[in-house]
Amino acid sequence: MFTKTGLIVLAFVFCYPVLFLLTGSFMSQSELAENLGPVLGEATGYAGWSFFPQNPTLKHYIEVLLDSPEYFVMFWNSIKVVLGTLVGQCIIAIPAAWGFAVFKFKKSIFFLYIILMMMPFQVTMLSNYLVLKQLKLLDTLASLIFPGIFSTFPVFIMFNFFRGIPPAVIEAARIDGARERDIFLKIGIPLGKNGIIASLVLEFLEYWNLIEQPMTFLNDKTKWPLSLFLPAIRGENVGFAFAVSIITLIPAALVFFSGHEYLEQGIASLGVKE
């Protein structure tokens, strides 16, 4: 009983920031000013909050969706970046992970992949910048897509799932005369689809929320993704900022809840034994 209660409390603690944003997005500007005035330096005393708005309004959502055309520009920028990156990863990462898992490449090569995956963006930022500059990709959406296509993280995730396929299944297919391409397409991808989808879900969440890369590689603000749309929060636009945060969260939440079963099934598939 204590464990169940503790989990409920922890779930509420982790969900509270989202509930905070959701409630604030429906509050009127006067109510937000009254509650958050001390935090924003526009009043004295202590900040207050309530779970239910006194006078719910859709004004902030209307302002974002109907009166902010730059929002949709950045929205489509994010869509282009995410889709371009995921398609490229399907072309590059899936065969690479299959090769590492099945053909027993030298461990040193895969170890190099692990090292690259562990490096934060700040470490590789300069080298990425110089390469993109030489390729004349700076200040284009390709400067975000191109490095993402060759990301090592999806290779590592898919490798672990492909390695969970019983070797006897692959050897039986080879004995029956199946070509390596057919084994990959008809055995590897179907049996490793949980890992592939799990990796794509995680990569969607990562590239939907890019912050440092667009700030480093993009100077033209019309090419910024949606993750950089949130304006400086001031007293007169705090409701607008809340509404932007909720709308930006919706696609990521939908993708996560649509793919969470694949994440669970994929993790369970690692336990498959020969």
Side-chain angles (χ1 to χ4, degrees):
M1 181 63 181
F2 175 77
T3 303
K4 184 177 181 180
T5 303
L7 291 175
I8 293 175
V9 172
L10 285 176
F12 175 79
V13 170
F14 284 110
C15 292
Y16 181 76
V18 178
L19 296 175
F20 181 87
L21 290 174
L22 184 63
T23 302
S25 67
F26 289 104
M27 287 184 179
S28 63
Q29 190 61 41
S30 58
E31 186 177 0
L32 287 169
E34 179 182 352
N35 289 332
L36 300 178
V39 176
L40 299 174
E42 298 179 355
T44 58
Y46 297 95
W49 199 255
S50 60
F51 284 105
F52 301 99
Q54 297 176 0
N55 300 298
T57 177
L58 295 175
K59 175 183 176 182
H60 307 304
Y61 288 98
I62 294 174
E63 185 179 357
V64 174
L65 298 176
L66 299 182
D67 298 333
S68 303
E70 65 274 15
Y71 168 85
F72 292 97
V73 173
M74 293 187 175
F75 176 84
W76 286 114
N77 288 342
S78 288
I79 293 294
K80 293 174 184 178
V81 169
V82 171
L83 290 183
T85 301
L86 295 185
V87 170
Q89 288 181 355
C90 288
I91 297 173
I92 301 297
I94 296 177
W98 176 258
F100 281 123
V102 175
F103 296 115
K104 309 300 181 183
F105 288 171
K106 290 184 178 180
K107 292 184 178 180
S108 57
I109 300 178
F110 187 71
F111 182 69
L112 177 62
Y113 256 71
I114 301 301
I115 294 176
L116 292 174
M117 184 187 69
M118 295 175 63
M119 290 184 179
F121 171 72
Q122 292 82 358
V123 175
T124 60
M125 177 178 63
L126 179 58
S127 58
N128 285 342
Y129 184 91
L130 294 176
V131 171
L132 293 172
K133 183 177 180 181
Q134 290 297 320
L135 295 175
K136 301 185 184 303
L137 295 179
L138 286 178
D139 211 21
T140 67
L141 294 181
S143 64
L144 306 180
I145 297 173
F146 189 72
I149 290 176
F150 297 96
S151 172
T152 57
F153 179 72
V155 175
F156 174 76
I157 296 295
M158 296 177 192
F159 165 80
N160 285 283
F161 290 108
F162 284 140
R163 192 174 57 175
I165 299 175
V169 175
I170 299 175
E171 289 300 325
R174 288 172 176 164
I175 293 174
D176 289 341
R179 294 178 297 178
E180 294 296 334
R181 183 185 64 181
D182 295 331
I183 295 174
F184 170 62
L185 295 176
K186 297 181 180 180
I187 295 178
I189 291 181
L191 294 181
K193 71 174 183 179
N194 291 338
I196 295 172
I197 296 176
S199 174
L200 294 179
V201 169
L202 293 174
E203 289 297 281
F204 178 95
L205 298 177
E206 178 181 356
Y207 285 90
W208 184 258
N209 297 298
L210 285 181
I211 296 293
E212 295 175 315
Q213 290 88 335
M215 293 183 67
T216 303
F217 301 141
L218 299 178
N219 293 321
D220 187 354
K221 292 186 178 181
T222 62
K223 297 177 182 177
W224 277 8
L226 192 58
S227 53
L228 298 182
F229 178 72
L230 189 65
I233 299 178
R234 299 183 297 272
E236 65 272 13
N237 72 342
V238 64
F240 179 86
F242 281 168
V244 168
S245 299
I246 291 296
I247 296 174
T248 304
L249 177 64
I250 290 175
L254 291 175
V255 169
F256 175 79
F257 286 116
S258 299
H260 79 280
E261 293 184 359
Y262 288 100
L263 289 171
E264 296 173 359
Q265 295 172 9
I267 293 173
S269 70
L270 291 177
V272 175
K273 300 296 182 180
E274 182 177 349

